[in-house]
Amino acid sequence: MPFAQAPTGALQLKWELRDHGWARCHLANDFSQASLVVSYCTDALADLVAAAGGLYGQQRTTRFFFDAEPQEIRWVLRAEDALIDVTIYEFPDVSVSPDLPDSAGTVIWQSAHSRRLFSHAVLNAAQTVFTEHGEAGYQAKWMLHPFPVALVQDLRRLHLRDDACGLAHDHAHP
Ligand SMILES: [Zn+2]
């Protein structure tokens, strides 16, 4: 399993709600970018925020997936020393791939960040969505799931308490 050898700088993460239960998750750093189109078959933004929050506990590896209908987009977050290794795999058919090992997928993103920068990017993306759409607007577009208010509040609390983040947190937040 390859790990990024060094921090790959700040992560830019953007979450765009589309209509009818679709969203686009855009990732970029100094070296690469990826664009993931995901459906509401899973509560994708909530799963991402929950996984970031999980990095503050004892768990060293967290997995979750987005449903790209039909692809599975599997995220694997590994806490390695002071860095969070972020690897995203794509599998062609989500109806069978959740039983497959990571090695059966295609790596479509890999980066490594301090927890502070990773969590800041996730929190910022979620708060930007909230600022833009609000709770009612979010559910109107994402349909099957409400905005993950409690998970975002948890992540914000953990991030501000434990990460000594000096970056701005000036978005509206739930
Ligand atoms: Zn921050």
Side-chain angles (χ1 to χ4, degrees):
M1 186 63 56
F3 285 106
Q5 296 298 309
T8 43
L11 176 65
Q12 285 139 39
L13 190 56
K14 197 171 170 195
W15 194 272
E16 292 176 359
L17 284 181
R18 300 279 181 81
D19 292 325
H20 309 299
W22 289 91
R24 194 177 75 109
C25 176
H26 189 77
L27 300 103
N29 63 12
D30 294 346
F31 306 103
S32 54
Q33 54 181 315
S35 191
L36 315 174
V37 175
V38 300
S39 85
Y40 64 177
C41 289
T42 68
D43 194 358
L45 179 61
D47 291 342
L48 175 60
V49 172
L55 298 172
Y56 294 81
Q58 295 302 309
Q59 195 169 4
R60 308 309 287 164
T61 301
T62 303
R63 284 180 172 75
F64 60 97
F65 70 92
F66 294 162
D67 188 337
E69 297 187 34
Q71 298 87 1
E72 176 191 351
I73 308 288
R74 183 183 302 175
W75 290 63
V76 182
L77 307 179
R78 284 191 182 80
E80 292 281 318
D81 299 323
L83 291 179
I84 306 301
D85 183 278
V86 181
T87 306
I88 303 176
Y89 301 85
E90 184 176 293
F91 299 78
D93 184 356
V94 72
S95 70
V96 296
S97 59
D99 293 331
L100 298 177
D102 297 342
S103 58
T106 302
V107 174
I108 58 171
W109 176 267
Q110 186 166 46
S111 62
H113 313 275
S114 66
R115 186 183 63 188
R116 175 177 66 85
L117 286 176
F118 179 73
S119 290
H120 184 89
V122 173
L123 186 60
N124 195 53
Q127 291 185 167
T128 299
V129 170
F130 185 79
T131 300
E132 185 176 349
H133 298 282
E135 279 191 81
Y138 182 88
Q139 187 146 17
K141 283 186 173 288
W142 195 235
M143 297 166 70
L144 290 187
H145 314 276
F147 185 82
V149 171
L151 289 170
V152 172
Q153 287 173 337
D154 281 350
L155 179 59
R156 181 181 173 89
R157 177 177 55 79
L158 293 165
H159 174 64
L160 294 180
R161 187 189 71 187
D162 292 352
D163 288 341
C165 185
L167 300 172
H169 297 90
D170 54 2
H171 289 285
H173 57 88

